[in-house]
Amino acid sequence: QVQLVESGGGLVQAGDSLRLSCVVSETVSARFMGWFRQYPGKEREFVAAVNRGSGHTYYADSVKGRFTISRDNSKNTVFLQMNSLKPEDTAVYYCALAQRAILSTLHLPTAYNHWGQGTQVTVSS
């Protein structure tokens, strides 16, 4: 069973930075890895994704220019560097792995096969 383990969440002030990490427990064939976030009582929303082969990246408009997704395939790890954090970035952040997603579905949680347990990010004003 593939496991994804996130780390790096925490409590920061507006304008600060955080770096989330997600380690995949084993080497699996997966085309994309992504980050989603979830507000209380809301559906998970897409944040960013990376093509594990090419390194091409994709972002939600709300985080473009502030967040950077990257991957280290040698360590089965994906990162989310979050800069200029805002209170509205407060959420539980999840990493996810998509084995056969296509570009047009990257923003959909249903495109991803495996999920981490989530890590809380809280940004105070």
Side-chain angles (χ1 to χ4, degrees):
Q1 179 72 16
V2 176
Q3 291 186 325
L4 281 66
V5 180
E6 301 103 334
S7 61
L11 171 62
V12 297
Q13 293 188 329
D16 286 351
S17 299
L18 274 177
R19 189 191 196 205
L20 305 184
S21 300
C22 174
V23 179
V24 185
S25 62
E26 58 188 76
T27 300
V28 295
S29 174
R31 194 172 178 204
F32 295 99
M33 288 200 70
W35 287 95
F36 285 73
R37 62 188 179 188
Q38 189 168 22
Y39 303 107
K42 300 286 189 179
E43 299 289 322
R44 289 183 188 181
E45 69 171 33
F46 173 75
V47 174
V50 60
N51 183 306
R52 295 183 78 202
S54 68
H56 287 157
T57 56
Y58 310 88
Y59 297 95
D61 287 343
S62 58
V63 305
K64 275 181 185 176
R66 299 189 299 124
F67 291 11
T68 303
I69 187 172
S70 60
R71 88 277 189 243
D72 184 341
N73 291 339
S74 68
K75 298 181 180 179
N76 285 339
T77 302
V78 64
F79 305 98
L80 186 68
Q81 178 67 42
M82 305 186 294
N83 298 330
S84 302
L85 282 162
K86 304 175 181 180
E88 52 263 44
D89 294 318
T90 296
V92 178
Y93 284 71
Y94 296 89
C95 73
L97 185 152
Q99 292 181 278
R100 297 182 189 85
I102 58 176
L103 279 179
S104 61
T105 65
L106 280 184
H107 63 291
L108 299 174
T110 52
Y112 295 79
N113 309 89
H114 302 281
W115 292 84
Q117 81 288 351
T119 185
Q120 176 70 46
V121 171
T122 303
V123 184
S124 64
S125 57

